[in-house]
Amino acid sequence: MKCEKVTKCRLDAVADIIGSKWNLMIIWHLRDSTLRFSELQSKMCGINSKTITKHLRDLEKESIITRTVFPEVPPRVEYTLTEPGRGILPIIDAMLIWGGKFRHPVEGREGCERNRIASAGE
Amino acid sequence: MKCEKVTKCRLDAVADIIGSKWNLMIIWHLRDSTLRFSELQSKMCGINSKTITKHLRDLEKESIITRTVFPEVPPRVEYTLTEPGRGILPIIDAMLIWGGKFRHPVEGREGCERNRIASAGE
DNA sequence: CGGTATCCCAGGCGATACTG
DNA sequence: CAGTATCGCCTGGGATACCG
């Protein structure tokens, strides 16, 4: 039976990486600077450490980011985009542009749902 | 606390559409022709009708595809990409190109996981 | 600090059956 | 043909707690 087009399956594979919200965000946040675990976590609306770890590991496995551990006393781990990883940036840009063109601007006031509760009083 | 960048949240929204494997595939298959429900379904490794229906409805709601019902005796429903929808095509292209550049070609023999079972031998 | 382990629920998706 | 309904598994991901 098999799928009639390989294209589709390729797409399928690529979508596993590009298709994940979290992956996209990690890559995006790493766009112009190396970040540490905690920095990433806080930038991403306080995403769960379990979740972020998983995606970080995936991206590392896919050679999209590199993970550097500094064996210091207060442990430090830094994440950086690799070259292949940087190749995704233009794609994200395109997505954002598309979003800007066809979707209503979304003022930004609503932020992400995840910390609407946290910012409660706000 | 709030996310420091709106960009991220935008990305989040766009990822809801572009970030879904199925959505991507539907859009891709519609790239150069209108297709009927069953055509789409068979092109996509025999994806479940429930699943495909859901995504089709989502995309329709987002004005990425249009759904045309022909009130004929054997019912016919056709799906077509809208203009905004076509705007996603270049992005998918970029994804595919990226995939081709940085990931090993993936000969295609493995097809999609979903019917590896069907092709058993593996 | 940077995780891992555990629990748990909501949702995604497949299979199957049924309908207009 | 083009769905909808139901069931049931599995993963994603949040919360919490603990560790090197």
Side-chain angles (χ1 to χ4, degrees):
Chain A
M1 187 239 228
K2 189 135 296 207
C3 19
E4 49 111 339
K5 271 189 171 186
V6 185
T7 327
K8 174 225 137 296
C9 305
R10 262 282 195 62
L11 184 53
D12 184 278
V14 177
D16 271 345
I17 302 162
I18 319 233
S20 150
K21 259 179 161 59
W22 296 130
N23 283 353
L24 245 6
M25 288 187 196
I26 291 173
I27 294 169
W28 189 248
H29 283 302
L30 251 27
R31 65 175 295 145
D32 39 34
S33 57
T34 286
L35 292 176
R36 324 179 32 167
F37 186 89
S38 51
E39 291 173 322
L40 268 172
Q41 188 171 13
S42 63
K43 275 178 187 294
M44 297 172 65
C45 302
I47 176 183
N48 217 307
S49 47
K50 189 187 71 177
T51 305
I52 199 174
T53 301
K54 178 194 184 303
H55 289 273
L56 248 12
R57 295 283 188 268
D58 284 352
L59 291 173
E60 191 193 355
K61 206 169 353 178
E62 301 287 350
S63 307
I64 288 167
I65 60 174
T66 52
R67 177 169 179 269
T68 316
V69 183
F70 296 83
E72 306 174 354
V73 178
R76 184 174 23 138
V77 180
E78 292 189 344
Y79 296 92
T80 316
L81 239 37
T82 60
E83 272 321 300
R86 307 202 67 80
I88 300 177
L89 256 17
I91 299 179
I92 301 184
D93 267 331
M95 288 173 60
L96 255 11
I97 290 172
W98 177 84
K101 283 221 301 249
F102 294 113
R103 318 217 74 62
H104 16 106
V106 176
E107 280 322 319
R109 48 154 290 290
E110 52 175 315
C112 57
E113 338 72 67
R114 263 163 280 289
N115 56 11
R116 271 219 294 262
I117 304 86
S119 27
E122 180 162 353
Chain B
M1 188 234 228
K2 184 137 298 208
C3 18
E4 48 110 341
K5 272 188 172 186
V6 184
T7 328
K8 173 225 137 300
C9 305
R10 261 279 198 64
L11 183 52
D12 184 277
V14 177
D16 272 345
I17 301 162
I18 319 231
S20 149
K21 260 178 160 60
W22 297 130
N23 284 352
L24 245 6
M25 287 186 196
I26 291 172
I27 295 169
W28 189 248
H29 283 301
L30 252 26
R31 64 175 296 146
D32 39 33
S33 58
T34 285
L35 292 176
R36 327 180 29 169
F37 186 90
S38 51
E39 291 173 320
L40 269 171
Q41 188 171 12
S42 62
K43 275 178 188 292
M44 299 172 63
C45 300
I47 176 184
N48 216 308
S49 47
K50 188 186 69 175
T51 305
I52 199 173
T53 302
K54 179 196 182 302
H55 290 272
L56 248 12
R57 296 282 188 267
D58 284 352
L59 291 172
E60 191 193 355
K61 206 169 354 178
E62 301 287 351
S63 306
I64 287 167
I65 61 174
T66 52
R67 177 169 179 269
T68 316
V69 183
F70 297 83
E72 306 173 356
V73 178
R76 183 172 25 136
V77 181
E78 293 189 343
Y79 296 92
T80 316
L81 240 36
T82 59
E83 271 321 299
R86 306 202 68 80
I88 300 178
L89 257 18
I91 300 179
I92 301 185
D93 268 331
M95 289 173 59
L96 256 11
I97 291 173
W98 177 85
K101 282 221 301 251
F102 295 113
R103 317 219 72 62
H104 17 105
V106 177
E107 279 322 318
R109 48 157 287 292
E110 52 175 314
C112 54
E113 339 72 68
R114 262 162 279 289
N115 54 13
R116 268 221 296 262
I117 303 87
S119 28
E122 179 159 355

